[in-house]
Amino acid sequence: MESKINEILAKAQSALPMAQTKNEVAAIGASITGPNGELTALMKTIPTLDKAERPAAGKLINMAKSKIEPMIAEAYERIENRQMAEALGGAPDITLPNVDAPRGTLHPLTLTIRKICSIFKRIGYTVAEATDAETEWFCFDALNTPEDHPARDAQDTLFLPRQTRFSNVPKHADELYLLRSHTSSVQIRAMLREGAPIRILAPGRAFRRDTVDATHSANFHQIECLYVDRDVKLTDLKATLDYLFKNLFGKSARTRLRPSFFPFTEPSFEVDFMSDDLGKLSGKWIEIMGCGMVDPKVIENVGLNPGEYSGFAFGLGVERVAMLEHSIDDIRHFYANDLRFLRQFSNR
Ligand code: DAH
């Protein structure tokens, strides 16, 4: 019995590593452990042995089986790996990203920007973008805010050394570059490029000299809206604002305008809105942004005729909207990069 078992083991050891296909492995396996296999045949002889010899014989056969089975599995694996490598045209590329790796999530500010852009896409707006580094002319002068205008104080920002040049920013006059203090500058770039009629939304980063606290950040995001065409009226602005806030904060949302001042709009307004779906803030007027009818001087500055064209504009703080949407109490959460915070907003 023992020598027969050793013979079977030796056969498995020599034949299995030589097998080239799964069928060959299966055939070798069947010839040993299958119903008509040699080991099975030996097993069947056990009842014919002396009673005293039976346990030892059974043990030997089981031991052989427990050695042969992993050898069969190994042979299958060897062939499968080879077939896989062949299918991949060589060895697998272990530098490929792991398909099971956890995916990142979209930042809550990105989600809010996308939501607002998609609300406006439905009424024919396109998205316009420009660089964070902007020239003084686009950021202020063209927006009717000359150098000595007090409105510049509220929008103090980082000015770059005079010799700084950015290849991706078109040159204009004797340029002094700064980090744009608002996205209103994109109005100018878009109108110079596209003329009128124009309907754009310009989301992006803005920068200001500001002391950081729960509601202020020196670096924040805005969405600028601009609509210029023949015959655009204040009622168009009001209707667009109502449309925006109903889409953001529910059907009960409504807006009101309070007179204000911005150099680039005339008349200018602060927008307040109210919604019944805002938890503790329900039913209260909430100050949200500035808006107005584009100042004729701005229309003239981009080479359009203010007698022919009129328009409206507004500038919305993205952090402010996202904080209201999600009841976030501190603007600094957006910039702390704490994944426990960030993961709560995206369903990806
Ligand atoms: N640019 C202004 C700011 O950052 C916001 C703003 C107000 C934009 C009125 C506008 C507007 O387009 O019409 O404070």
Side-chain angles (χ1 to χ4, degrees), residues 155 181-182 184 187 208 222 224 262 264-265 290-292 313-315:
Q155 296 209 9
S181 55
H182 54 183
S184 302
Q187 285 188 24
R208 267 181 218 182
Q222 289 186 327
E224 184 79 14
F262 298 101
F264 31 88
T265 43
C291 71
F314 63 76

Side-chain angles (χ1 to χ4, degrees), residues 24-89:
E24 279 176 48
V25 176
I28 297 167
S31 75
I32 302 172
T33 57
N36 301 314
E38 293 173 71
L39 215 54
T40 318
L42 272 185
M43 195 75 114
K44 285 180 186 158
T45 66
I46 290 180
T48 68
L49 298 178
D50 274 357
K51 220 172 186 170
E53 289 173 17
R54 288 181 204 167
K59 215 171 166 181
L60 271 176
I61 294 171
N62 281 335
M63 240 164 64
K65 212 171 174 178
S66 68
K67 279 186 191 159
I68 291 167
E69 275 166 357
M71 287 162 65
I72 295 174
E74 199 182 299
Y76 275 124
E77 197 181 312
R78 174 174 54 78
I79 291 163
E80 253 167 38
N81 284 346
R82 195 199 63 213
Q83 286 173 343
M84 174 90 80
E86 279 167 9
L88 292 171

Side-chain angles (χ1 to χ4, degrees), residues 124-294:
Y125 283 72
T126 55
V127 170
E129 284 181 314
T131 48
D132 297 348
E134 186 51 278
T135 72
E136 197 178 21
W137 188 83
F138 281 100
C139 200
F140 295 121
D141 301 75
L143 286 160
N144 201 30
T145 317
E147 193 161 7
D148 55 358
H149 198 291
R152 284 206 184 194
D153 290 348
Q155 296 209 9
D156 199 8
T157 178
L158 277 175
F159 285 74
L160 303 174
R162 208 165 251 287
Q163 66 274 21
T164 309
R165 287 280 179 267
F166 296 91
S167 58
N168 53 347
V169 180
K171 253 180 81 100
H172 199 283
D174 178 26
E175 292 162 301
L176 183 58
Y177 281 89
L178 43 79
L179 294 183
R180 66 180 177 200
S181 55
H182 54 183
T183 48
S184 302
S185 53
V186 187
Q187 285 188 24
I188 305 299
R189 288 194 176 276
M191 282 190 285
L192 281 178
R193 194 174 52 229
E194 295 174 32
I198 187 169
R199 244 182 301 192
I200 54 142
L201 221 53
R205 221 175 252 270
F207 305 83
R208 267 181 218 182
R209 195 217 65 78
D210 228 337
T211 307
V212 176
D213 63 19
T215 53
H216 293 86
S217 170
N219 148 30
F220 57 101
H221 294 75
Q222 289 186 327
I223 297 182
E224 184 79 14
C225 174
L226 173 73
Y227 175 31
V228 174
D229 203 340
R230 291 185 176 85
D231 239 11
V232 178
K233 299 192 179 70
L234 184 54
T235 45
D236 298 314
L237 169 58
K238 179 69 167 67
T240 305
L241 293 172
D242 285 341
Y243 166 77
L244 169 63
F245 284 92
K246 281 183 197 306
N247 274 280
L248 276 178
F249 294 105
K251 282 207 171 68
S252 67
R254 53 213 172 272
T255 62
R256 74 174 180 193
L257 303 179
R258 277 182 293 113
S260 182
F261 174 81
F262 298 101
F264 31 88
T265 43
E266 182 58 37
S268 305
F269 304 93
E270 293 292 336
V271 182
D272 299 335
F273 83 101
M274 186 195 280
S275 159
D276 299 337
D277 299 318
L278 261 182
K280 266 195 268 176
L281 294 173
S282 292
K284 296 195 172 99
W285 286 111
I286 300 167
E287 188 178 326
I288 190 76
M289 64 176 178
C291 71
M293 301 307 289
V294 180

